[in-house]
Amino acid sequence: MTARALTPEHVADRWECSAETVRNMCRRGELPHFRVGRMIRLRPEHVEAYECATTESDVSMGVSSSHGTKMASGGASVLTPQQRAKLRPKPAR
């Protein structure tokens, strides 16, 4: 069985942002998506890939690392285990 496609609302809940923010990211081409009629749908693996590309892992926190993002304060953007658990796709019902 394949994973179900996510709506902008699902991704917004997962990222704790607005669905409009997710839609804007899709429109700008920052987040891969597809359409079903006028509705935007996102593949869970694309959402996860985006998350991995924009967050820094514990392994990549070395001085020479170029992976991940840095915050304006210079601190690393690192997820806690609780945040990671929230990001996992919810099982299909």
Side-chain angles (χ1 to χ4, degrees):
M1 183 174 163
T2 60
R4 295 176 64 166
L6 302 172
T7 65
E9 289 75 18
H10 288 130
V11 177
D13 283 345
R14 184 170 165 154
W15 291 349
E16 297 180 0
C17 67
S18 72
E20 191 58 31
T21 296
V22 176
R23 287 186 198 94
N24 287 337
M25 292 172 71
C26 292
R27 286 185 198 109
R28 290 190 304 259
E30 295 173 23
L31 190 57
H33 66 285
F34 63 97
R35 290 189 175 269
V36 178
R38 294 180 61 202
M39 299 178 293
I40 294 175
R41 294 294 180 261
L42 302 104
R43 295 185 190 278
E45 59 270 20
H46 291 160
V47 172
E48 191 170 314
Y50 181 86
E51 292 166 349
C52 290
T54 58
T55 58
E56 192 169 290
S57 70
D58 296 337
V59 175
S60 70
M61 289 180 65
V63 175
S64 64
S65 174
S66 63
H67 180 70
T69 59
K70 296 285 184 183
M71 296 182 193
S73 65
S77 174
V78 179
L79 298 177
T80 66
Q82 293 82 9
Q83 290 169 318
R84 282 193 184 105
K86 274 180 125 178
L87 296 176
R88 290 191 188 103
K90 296 177 180 145
R93 293 183 185 185

